[in-house]
Every structure is written in structure tokens, then in C-alpha cells.
Amino acid sequence: TRVSLRYIPDRWVLDPAGLDAYLDALAGSAPGALEDLAVMVLDDINNEVVARWVQVVVSAPTEGRAPVDHHDVMLEDRQPKWANDALLSRLKRF
């Protein structure tokens, strides 16, 4: 499972070492569904940094012989009334 995080900070920024430790801790206790994991990470990030905008992407290959070989979940959130389309348009698309 791979977790990608992009955010536009407001006041606080994440400590990369702390984020690594957080993701390592999740690895042993993460819920089964990628959607649940994405919601958990988004909620925790919002609680810690209160970012202006945040995007969480959780990806994993599917198991078995399913016709779909990869499963991705993307969640975004932003502060109410925050809009900066010029900045967001510069970000690489998912």
C-alpha cells in the first residue's frame, strides 16, 4: 500500500520524520479497505496541521486475478471559503 500526501499549509507544517513514524505505525493497524485508510489519514492530517488544502491518495495493487490490477483512492479537503485556483492549477494532476 502506498500513501501520497499533498497539502498547502496554513500555519503548521508536518515534520517529515513524524509523518514517516505515523505511516509506519499505521502499517501494523491499518483497516482493510483503502477508503477507510484514506479517510483516517485525511482526518489525522486535518487535525494536526489544519491545512488550507490537502489531498491524500492511497494506492495498492489488487490481489488475485481480478480484471482491475490496481486500486486508487483520492480524497481532498480544503478550508471553507479558501480558493486559489491559480495555485491548484499548477499542481500535477492525479
Side-chain angles (χ1 to χ4, degrees), residues 28-45:
S29 64
L34 291 185
E35 293 82 0
D36 294 339
L37 178 58
V39 168
M40 184 185 320
V41 171
L42 180 66
D43 286 346
D44 289 344
I45 297 301

Side-chain angles (χ1 to χ4, degrees), residues 3 11-12 17 19 25 27 32 34-35 42 49 52 56 58-59 64 84 91 94:
V3 176
R11 196 168 221 197
W12 307 105
L19 180 60
L34 291 185
E35 293 82 0
L42 180 66
V49 298
R52 292 175 186 234
V56 174
V58 180
S59 305
N84 190 332
L91 297 176
F94 170 68

Side-chain angles (χ1 to χ4, degrees), residues 6-72:
R6 298 193 309 175
Y7 70 102
I8 298 171
D10 186 6
R11 196 168 221 197
W12 307 105
V13 295
L14 290 171
D15 172 39
L19 180 60
D20 286 346
Y22 166 77
L23 293 175
D24 285 343
L26 278 183
S29 64
L34 291 185
E35 293 82 0
D36 294 339
L37 178 58
V39 168
M40 184 185 320
V41 171
L42 180 66
D43 286 346
D44 289 344
I45 297 301
N46 278 336
N47 286 337
E48 288 301 314
V49 298
V50 191
R52 292 175 186 234
W53 173 86
V54 63
Q55 180 185 73
V56 174
V57 179
V58 180
S59 305
T62 57
E63 296 179 12
R65 297 184 175 184
V68 176
D69 65 353
H70 209 262
H71 183 181
D72 299 317

